[in-house]
Amino acid sequence: MTAPDLPSKPGGWLAERLGWASIASRLGGYSMSRRGFAFYLGGITLFLLVVQVASGILLTLYYQPDAAYAHGSVERIVGEVAYGDLVHAVHSWTADLFVASLFLHLFTVMIRRSFRSPHELSWLTGVALLALGVGQAFTGAVLPWSERAYTHARIGSELARYVPLVGGWLHRFMRGGEDVTSSTLAHAFGFHVAVLPAAVALVLSGHLFLLTRRPVQRPPQPNAESIPLYPDFFVRQGVALTGAMVIVLTLAIFVDRPLGPVADPRVSSAPDAQPPWYFLPVHAIVRAAPKELLGIEGPRFLVGAACVMGLAFVALPFLDRRGSRVTAWAAWVLLVTLLLLSLRALS
Amino acid sequence: MSSRDDKGGVARRNFLNLAVGGSAAAFAVAGTYPVVRYLEPPPGRARSASRVGKIEEFPVGSVRTVVVDDRPVHVIRTADEVRAFSAICTHLQCVVAYSAEHKQFECPCHGGVYALDGRNLEGPPPRPLEELTVTIDEGYVLVSASG
Amino acid sequence: MRSPSPLLLAVFAGLLALLGAVPAARAVVPAPSAAPSTNGAASVPLASRSLPSPMNATNTCASCHATLTDTKLRTPAKEYAHSAHRDDRIGCVGCHHGDPRDPTVGAHAKSMGFEPHPTHVEVPQICGGCHSDAAFIRRLNGRLPVGQAALFTLSLHGKLTAAGDGVAPDCSTCHGKHDIQPPSSPLSPVNRTNVAKLCSGCHADKQKMAGYDIRTDQFEKWKKSVHGQAFAAGNPNAPTCTSCHGAHASTPPDAASVAHACGRCHETEMQLFEQSPHSQGFRRRGLAACVACHSNHDVARASAIMVGTGPDATCMKCHNNDEKPRRVADEISNLLRGARERAADARAAVARATTAGLRVSGAPYSLDQVATAETKVRSVVHTLDPARVQAVVSDIESAADETQRLVQSAERNRRLERRGYYAALGLGALLLLALSLKAMDLDRRRRQGGS
């Protein structure tokens, strides 16, 4: 039984020309664990990225990256262009879900310690993709040039100033100049639609290439049921992706995301200006931080500490000792801490 | 018995394949329709008349080119009236220029020539230039976006 | 080496010339051409003023008075130093006369026409002496107008002052004395921003106005009026006292002329009013055109309730028992009410759509048309011609209807889109179900195959 489940009649002609039978049999040769949400997260993240690229390309048709027109052009997309509200809402919601599934993907990898040899490079490219994803989220949130976007740009770029060594450079870089101006918007747009997507494409192809070279091992559970990659795992992944799409559409259709008033530097930063949820832990820390810690400016200390933690995070595969459970514990502690901080920021 | 089981299995498999393929195709179409509609730009907004300048800025016998709603317009003042013509050639939409030497509008692209009252005199243009409505209000010249 | 540029040479030559000229000028000052005609003639001061005398260039009055301990004597010298007249060609002597070249009390010689306290009657003559002399004024400041003194003599203020009235103002009452500032300066009492306070300083003072048959509530009324509120809000076009009453020739507009005062800004309304039956009727009865309905100092924001037969309608002040005017008032009132309701409905529809996140293409434009026609109807009402009002009202109504149509079509599209969304979600759920069943079927078969 080489191709057990080919839709013989309608697709047969095409399948024959593509040589699908041999591809299917090769794919069927790999086996995957049947259980475990973790194994579907990578695929979901990739799928959401595709949705982001598609909806983002559509948005560039009407978006105008100029401080004088940006907000109006988004209003036009939402209010005037046919189905523009849907495209905008899908892009906006998928951004959140994309970052969420990136984080979850990384956490499950951490907890399962799937980054161990020979998967160090998969881990490193994955962490790079997380950084690029956060960069996409930051630059994307600036583009509507609403009051919220403006505040977001101010705070975000100001925090970057405290990054050790490269802070000053990063600060100017994120603002596209000395202050948050129209240039910041132009800069953010260029990064959002060209620079960062190109980087994502590059790193992601590396990430996926490594996956084909060194397929993820099944977890060392003796009684786990294994299934062939094709068709069984593919169909299950299909269920997950359709579910993700249905969730995105439901959120986009039923939960409104108001654009908010246009950015006006004369208006004081809104008191309830909350960052996107994935920056909530940062928000909580920034709000609670004292003026000085150990003789260092509060923000500088915290951002510095976060950078040290980040470096440790990157170097995880090289720090991890075989047989030790510290990494898994650290992952849980980190997750719980971030959740608590987020709750703190919301209250 | 096993053969009957097999038969039922095959029928179910075919049905499921059809259901998956069919609903996937329908879902894809449902997703494509809004995208296709989205690609089509929304209709332009209705515009009112635009002020193009004071009447003194249009001396008698002059032809001035102004921009109304991003489109070029020739405003001509004769001894007794002010008229405005769209500067867009009726042939292939090039912008026609006023020739002070020949007292006519000339299209640089394909040699169309129009008289100062918009009539198409020579060359390929099939119709006269579109004339736009001019109103003089409180000393200002207003040109409406359409005739 | 290149030769120095001609420009540099010219600048250098200019500097040399200046250095030479300064001592020369100093040498000239102590030896003035005496100009005897200047002295003595107190009634026509500074008769040779067509040529500002360089003798005044040494203002010993100011330098001496600035050192005096008596505040009353020192302050004028200090104030003069930052006044609009702080030009030594004018000097103290320009108004007070005397001899500024004499550094002793001799400067105060009566023989030189010294006048320490010009009287109420004299002040306009002193100011006018220079300010009515076009040739002189032009030499000092070409932008200054001339003839204010002549205008002042035409005004009620001027007539009273000339007659020796002690309360009526002279020039210095409004413009200030030694610290006089140009009217463009915000420090000047006659600056646009200060003039209402200046006028009310006397006109709102019951004691000062006691001798005259005049009210004192104008300032309070103006502050509450639509004009005063616009002024307080910083509107640069809002009228203050002088906008209607004039400045130097200030004369209260009477019934016959008030429309012209109002019509300077409300031009269209005045013209349309003159076409109305009221125009003739008011004139016959001596009623003040605009004021009869709008009042004057306390003019309120005009609104549609002013027209009609209701308790607040101004029409009823005169026409309570007149059958035909009552009918016309009702007719116009109904037209206005209808237009207002239609316009309000259209605005509400757009607001509703905007709240729902819908941007109705074309709606802002048609609402603009509604607003334009509403402005027009407020003018046309002054004709009291129901047919003309009707014409503009139908403009409002058609623009409002167009707005409603646009909003409704946008809302209908939105509803259709919604239905499409539900259908798409249904298809997604169907795909989810089919894939799940497929996965279960694959599981079942794999297990069968495996066992």
Side-chain angles (χ1 to χ4, degrees), chain C residues 93-117:
Chain C
V93 70
C95 298
H96 291 289
H97 311 301
D99 184 1
R101 288 167 301 171
D102 189 339
T104 68
V105 278
H108 304 117
K110 284 280 178 201
S111 63
M112 297 287 276
F114 177 65
E115 174 52 83
H117 301 295

Side-chain angles (χ1 to χ4, degrees), chain A residues 3-347:
Chain A
D5 209 51
L6 224 97
S8 52
K9 268 155 247 157
W13 182 85
L14 192 64
E16 201 180 306
R17 270 141 197 88
L18 290 175
W20 182 249
S22 75
I23 298 175
S25 77
R26 272 201 62 187
L27 287 174
Y30 297 109
S31 63
M32 297 290 293
S33 165
R34 183 177 167 278
R35 294 208 161 272
F37 180 58
F39 293 100
Y40 300 96
L41 273 172
I44 291 175
T45 312
L46 180 61
F47 171 72
L48 291 176
L49 180 67
V50 171
V51 173
Q52 276 311 72
V53 171
S55 55
I57 287 173
L58 289 178
L59 287 175
T60 57
L61 290 183
Y62 297 106
Y63 177 72
Q64 292 175 298
D66 183 305
Y69 303 107
H71 189 265
S73 71
V74 180
E75 272 186 334
R76 182 159 178 259
I77 291 172
V78 173
E80 262 180 70
V81 179
Y83 296 97
D85 51 347
L86 182 68
V87 175
H88 176 261
V90 163
H91 195 72
S92 163
W93 273 111
T94 311
D96 282 9
L97 295 179
F98 173 70
V99 175
S101 78
L102 252 179
F103 271 118
L104 276 180
H105 185 36
L106 245 81
F107 269 117
T108 54
V109 166
M110 240 177 119
I111 287 160
R112 289 169 171 276
R113 295 199 290 166
S114 312
F115 49 70
R116 283 178 303 184
S117 176
H119 297 292
E120 297 97 331
L121 282 177
S122 294
W123 170 259
L124 288 179
T125 48
V127 172
L129 283 171
L130 177 71
L132 291 172
V134 171
Q136 280 290 42
F138 175 79
T139 51
V142 173
L143 298 186
W145 208 241
S146 59
E147 268 173 21
R148 204 158 6 118
Y150 182 77
T151 311
H152 174 75
R154 289 204 84 85
I155 299 176
S157 54
E158 184 59 23
L159 278 177
R161 184 209 286 275
Y162 295 107
V163 172
L165 304 177
V166 292
W169 174 81
L170 196 62
H171 174 73
R172 273 179 54 78
F173 195 68
M174 284 169 81
R175 291 189 162 186
E178 293 301 333
D179 211 329
V180 176
T181 59
S182 190
S183 308
T184 313
L185 182 61
H187 226 62
F189 178 72
F191 269 86
H192 191 72
V193 306
V195 179
L196 292 176
V200 166
L202 204 67
V203 181
L204 182 62
S205 34
H207 195 70
L208 294 178
F209 174 75
L210 288 165
L211 191 68
T212 63
R213 294 293 92 188
R214 306 232 173 261
V216 181
Q217 291 160 325
R218 292 197 289 109
Q221 286 166 324
N223 53 354
E225 190 182 350
S226 75
I227 56 172
L229 183 65
Y230 183 85
D232 299 53
F233 186 79
F234 269 39
V235 169
R236 289 173 160 272
Q237 185 68 276
V239 173
L241 301 190
T242 312
M245 192 69 235
V246 168
I247 289 172
V248 165
L249 282 180
T250 309
L251 285 170
I253 292 169
F254 294 104
V255 189
D256 195 28
R257 304 201 111 180
L259 186 55
V262 64
D264 182 351
R266 290 169 300 177
V267 176
S268 97
S269 307
D272 58 343
Q274 265 188 2
W277 60 267
Y278 36 83
F279 288 130
L280 280 177
V282 183
H283 186 56
I285 294 173
V286 168
R287 227 171 39 169
K291 254 186 277 182
E292 245 186 38
L293 275 167
L294 306 176
I296 308 171
E297 268 178 280
R300 191 179 296 283
F301 182 87
L302 292 166
V303 174
C307 289
V308 171
M309 277 172 70
L311 281 178
F313 189 62
V314 171
L316 215 50
F318 311 103
L319 299 174
D320 186 57
R321 290 275 165 274
R322 203 161 277 278
S324 139
R325 310 240 359 120
V326 173
T327 322
W329 281 112
W332 281 113
V333 168
L334 189 60
L335 183 62
V336 170
T337 313
L338 290 183
L339 282 176
L340 285 177
L341 282 172
S342 302
L343 282 176
R344 176 74 209 272
L346 284 175
S347 62

Side-chain angles (χ1 to χ4, degrees), chain C residues 267-282:
Chain C
E267 199 179 344
T268 321
E269 285 75 9
M270 182 184 74
Q271 282 170 2
L272 291 169
F273 174 81
E274 277 165 6
Q275 296 164 20
S276 78
H278 272 166
S279 178
Q280 289 293 324
F282 278 29

Side-chain angles (χ1 to χ4, degrees), chain B residues 5 9 12-13 15-17 19-21 23-24 26-27 30-31 34 37 43-49 138, chain C residues 268 359 361-362 365 369 417 420-421 423-425 427-432 434-435 437-438 441 444-445 448:
Chain B
D5 228 29
R12 178 163 54 227
R13 209 184 314 156
F15 170 74
L16 282 175
N17 283 343
V20 168
S23 54
F27 195 42
R37 287 287 313 279
R45 291 161 217 173
R47 314 258 192 176
S48 56
E138 293 175 4
Chain C
T268 321
R359 212 164 87 154
S361 179
Y365 171 62
Q369 284 188 316
E417 272 179 19
Y421 291 165
L425 274 182
L427 289 175
L430 200 66
L431 178 61
L432 202 59
L435 279 169
L437 289 174
K438 176 79 188 165
D441 184 49
R444 204 178 51 82
R445 278 196 295 139
Q448 273 179 357

Side-chain angles (χ1 to χ4, degrees), chain B residues 97-117:
Chain B
Y98 169 65
S99 159
E101 190 187 337
H102 300 115
K103 299 273 177 222
Q104 60 189 17
F105 297 121
E106 294 169 359
C107 181
C109 297
H110 310 107
V113 173
Y114 300 86
L116 289 189
D117 59 0

